Amino acid sequence: MSTKYDVIVVGGGAAGFYAAIHIASGNNGLKVAILERGKNVLAKVKVSGGGRCNVTHAEFDPGTLVKNYPRGEKELLGPFHTYCTGDTMAFFEERGVPLKIEEDGRMFPVSDSSQSIIDCFTGEADRLGVQVLKHSSVTDIVQLGDNGNPIWEITTIKHAYTTKKIVMATGSNPKIWTVLKNLGHTIVAPTPSLFTFNIKDERINGIPGLSTPARVSIMVKRVFNPNITITLRSQKATETLLEEEGPVLITHWGLSGPAILRLSAWGAKVLNEYGYRFKIRVNWLPDFNPAQVLPYLMKIKEVEAKKTVLRTKAVNVPRRLWTNLVQSAGLERTTTWADVSKVQLQNLAEQLTACTFQVDGKSTFKEEFVTAGGVDLKEVNFKTMESKLLKNIYFAGEIMNVDAITGGFNFQNAWTSAYVAAQAIVKR
C-alpha cells in the first residue's frame, strides 16, 4: 500500500529543502514530503565554503549574474529576473540568518557556520509540517493514469508513495538520471566541472599552501580530431583556449584556487575530451608581461649588483615561490646580480610571467563535487521548471545541465530554480 502526498521532493539537499519550504509556506494545505537517500540531509551545504556555506554571490543584476554559468546562461536569465540574489538574502534575513558580503563578493552567514543554514531549513520544514523521510533512495518512478493529469508512483528501497507532483532535486545522481532517461528524458553525459589541476613540477614542489594572484592560460595544440570539439581563434599550432585571473593556490598535488576552479568550470567539456592532459601558462605578475619585466630586472642588476639574486626578491611574489623560480631560471644560490647574464634574466622574466606547466589529471572535492551534465535544458520549461515531457514533474538545482564557477553561483541556481518550481506548483 502506497502513502499519498500532494507533492514529493526527491532529494534532501539545498534545492530540495528550498522548494519544499516555499511549497508548504505558499499553500499550507498541501501534504509535502522530502525523500532523502542518505542518513543525513543537506550534506553538501554542511561542507560548502569550508564549513561556512557560500550561500550566494553579491551580483544583483540578472544579466551579469548569468555570465557566471558555463552551462545555463541563456536559460537562467528569465528565472533570475523572477528570483535573484536579493531575494535569497531576504529569505534568510527574514528567518534570522543574516548574510554578509566579503571582499570578493562571496556571501556567507554572519555566523560563518553552515549549521546556521541547516538549522534554518530543518526548522522551517518542521514548522511547516514537511515530512523528511531519510534512507529513502528512489529506485523507480512510474506514471499512473492518463497524460492529462497523471499521478506518479515513486518506489524507494523501503516503501512506495503516490503523489500529484514531483520536484526532482537530486543533484548529480546517476541512478536518478537513469530513471529519468527511462521516462524519456535526454541526459547530457556528466563531466566534472570544479576540479584542481594535478601538476608535478619542481617549481611548485615543497611550497603547498602558498596563494598568490596570477593569470592562468590553458594552452592547447591545434588538432584535427573530429572527436575533440574546440574552436581556436587562429591557425597557430598552439593557442590559448581559456584564460582567468585571480588567486592561485599551490597544493600538494598541483594548483588550485579561484582562478584554476573557474578555468575548470569553463573548460569542463573540452578538458574532459583532452583526458585532463594539457599545458597551462602562468603569469605570476598578472599586471606585467615578459617584455615589461626584462627591462625592470636589468635595472635591478645595476642597482643591486653586489647582492645575490636569490635573497633580493625583486618583484611582488611570495619569497618561497621567488626562490623556486630563480633556481628554475638556471641561477645558483650564490649568483649575484652583477654576474647574471642577459639570457638568464630573460629566463627569469619568462619564469615570472610565462611559466609553463604540464597538467596530468585532476583532483575533485568529493563533498563539493559539481558536474556539467544532466537533464537536457531543451526539455525544461524555465518559466515553471516543469518537464516539457512529463507533466507534473519539476526540476531544481544541479540535476539539470546547469553549473557555475565557484563563488556561490551554484547555490543561487538551486535557490532560484527551486523557488520558480515551488511557485508554479502552488499556483496550480
Side-chain angles (χ1 to χ4, degrees):
M1 186 72 178
S2 60
T3 304
K4 295 181 180 180
Y5 287 94
D6 294 305
V7 184
I8 288 181
V9 178
V10 182
F17 265 84
Y18 213 70
I21 289 167
H22 281 287
I23 292 165
S25 60
N27 185 340
N28 59 15
L30 293 176
K31 188 178 179 183
V32 183
I34 295 174
L35 301 182
E36 166 55 42
R37 63 176 173 169
K39 64 179 181 179
N40 296 312
V41 294
L42 300 160
K44 197 169 181 179
V45 171
K46 179 74 172 175
V47 299
S48 165
R52 296 167 63 209
C53 191
N54 184 185
V55 175
T56 185
H57 201 93
E59 178 48 70
F60 301 94
D61 173 55
T64 305
L65 182 60
V66 293
K67 300 297 183 184
N68 296 287
Y69 295 82
R71 283 145 291 274
E73 176 181 344
K74 179 182 70 174
E75 291 82 2
L76 287 175
L77 184 59
F80 283 156
H81 275 288
T82 299
Y83 195 89
C84 204
T85 312
D87 301 299
T88 300
M89 292 185 71
F91 172 89
F92 288 109
E93 297 266 352
E94 290 165 4
R95 290 160 178 79
V97 186
L99 306 182
K100 61 178 179 178
I101 303 172
E102 301 203 337
E103 285 187 14
D104 60 3
R106 292 182 301 162
M107 296 174 66
F108 295 87
V110 170
S111 65
D112 273 332
S113 172
S114 59
Q115 195 61 45
S116 298
I117 306 299
I118 294 171
D119 291 343
C120 172
F121 283 159
T122 54
E124 279 291 279
D126 185 58
R127 181 181 70 82
L128 293 164
V130 175
Q131 294 189 37
V132 180
L133 307 172
K134 302 175 185 176
H135 298 289
S136 297
S137 181
V138 171
T139 57
D140 200 11
I141 299 175
V142 177
Q143 179 180 325
L144 305 177
D146 60 60
N147 291 329
N149 193 27
I151 299 294
W152 293 99
E153 183 179 63
I154 301 176
T155 304
T156 72
I157 55 174
K158 296 198 303 185
H159 198 64
Y161 305 89
T162 56
T163 182
K164 298 174 183 176
K165 300 184 188 300
I166 302 174
V167 179
M168 302 299 298
T170 51
S172 304
N173 186 328
K175 291 182 179 178
I176 294 298
W177 281 331
T178 299
V179 170
L180 290 171
K181 188 175 181 180
N182 291 337
L183 287 170
H185 264 290
T186 303
I187 305 300
V188 178
T191 57
S193 178
L194 291 180
F195 51 86
T196 63
F197 295 173
N198 291 355
I199 300 169
K200 290 184 178 180
D201 194 291
E202 287 300 315
R203 290 167 293 183
I204 57 173
N205 190 35
I207 52 175
L210 186 151
S211 180
T212 187
R215 185 185 307 120
V216 185
S217 307
I218 293 178
M219 311 301 296
V220 295
K221 290 182 179 179
R222 185 164 183 81
V223 295
F224 300 94
N225 183 344
N227 295 320
I228 297 182
T229 54
I230 63 172
T231 302
L232 301 180
R233 291 171 293 184
S234 77
Q235 298 299 316
K236 295 178 182 178
T238 303
E239 179 65 282
T240 300
L241 179 66
L242 292 165
E243 189 170 84
E244 286 286 343
E245 185 174 327
V248 170
L249 173 67
I250 297 173
T251 71
H252 287 286
W253 57 88
L255 295 179
S256 184
I260 299 295
L261 294 176
R262 286 198 294 270
L263 285 171
S264 76
W266 288 109
K269 294 291 188 181
V270 173
L271 299 183
N272 175 259
E273 291 170 349
Y274 271 90
Y276 305 104
R277 281 167 177 76
F278 53 92
K279 288 186 178 180
I280 60 171
R281 185 176 61 215
V282 181
N283 183 348
W284 302 107
L285 303 172
D287 294 330
F288 301 92
N289 60 46
Q292 294 170 315
V293 171
L294 183 58
Y296 174 74
L297 293 178
M298 294 180 74
K299 188 67 176 177
I300 296 293
K301 173 181 168 70
E302 295 176 14
V303 176
E304 306 286 4
K306 294 182 180 180
K307 295 182 179 179
T308 63
V309 178
L310 198 67
R311 299 188 64 181
T312 310
K313 188 165 72 72
V315 294
N316 187 26
V317 297
R319 179 164 292 281
R320 289 182 297 163
L321 178 60
W322 168 261
T323 298
N324 284 6
L325 295 179
V326 167
Q327 291 177 326
S328 68
L331 299 170
E332 301 293 335
R333 300 183 70 88
T334 57
T335 303
T336 64
W337 283 100
D339 295 331
V340 178
S341 68
K342 185 175 181 180
V343 171
Q344 289 175 316
L345 286 180
Q346 289 172 332
N347 289 342
L348 182 55
E350 184 171 330
Q351 291 297 331
L352 290 165
T353 58
C355 198
T356 302
F357 294 96
Q358 175 65 44
V359 176
D360 286 307
K362 60 175 174 54
S363 293
T364 55
F365 304 108
K366 291 182 181 178
E367 296 87 354
E368 298 188 67
F369 190 62
V370 174
T371 61
V375 175
D376 194 320
L377 303 186
K378 297 186 187 72
E379 299 173 356
V380 181
N381 178 354
F382 277 81
K383 292 182 179 179
T384 61
M385 305 312 299
E386 186 177 12
S387 165
K388 291 180 179 179
L389 309 181
L390 307 169
K391 189 174 176 61
N392 294 340
I393 289 186
Y394 299 77
F395 299 109
E398 202 188 327
I399 188 171
M400 297 175 286
N401 184 28
V402 173
D403 65 285
I405 65 173
T406 183
F409 301 104
N410 281 296
F411 270 137
Q412 187 57 51
N413 167 50
W415 314 139
T416 295
S417 55
Y419 175 84
V420 171
Q423 292 304 108
I425 289 170
V426 169
K427 286 177 182 177
R428 282 192 176 179

